Amino acid sequence: MVESDSGGCRPLGFLLGLPFAFVALILSLVGAVIWVLGTVLSCLCPCCCCCAGLVNMAVGLIKLPFKIITWFTDQIPC
C-alpha cells in the first residue's frame, strides 16, 4: 500500500493541541476586549500612537489559537 500524501497522522497533532488551543481561545477573547478598548483609546488620544503597542499585542492574542494548532500539527513527524 502506498501511503497518501495527505498526512495520515496529522489528526493526532490536532487532538493533542486542542486543550492548548482552548486556553488560547480564552486568551484570544481577552485580546479581543483589549483590542476594542485600545482602538477606542487610540481614537480618543490626540497622539494616536500611545495605544498602538497595546492593539498590536491584542491582535497577536487573537491569532494565538490558530498558531498553536498549526504548531502542534507540524510537530507530528509523518
Side-chain angles (χ1 to χ4, degrees), residues 15-27 64-65 68-69 72:
L15 290 176
L16 288 173
L18 279 179
F20 300 103
F22 180 70
V23 172
L25 180 66
I26 293 170
L27 287 175
L64 195 61
I68 288 178
I69 286 293
F72 267 100

Side-chain angles (χ1 to χ4, degrees), residues 1-26:
M1 278 189 149
V2 176
E3 188 174 325
S4 67
D5 196 22
S6 65
C9 63
R10 294 287 186 205
L12 181 62
F14 178 77
L15 290 176
L16 288 173
L18 279 179
F20 300 103
F22 180 70
V23 172
L25 180 66
I26 293 170

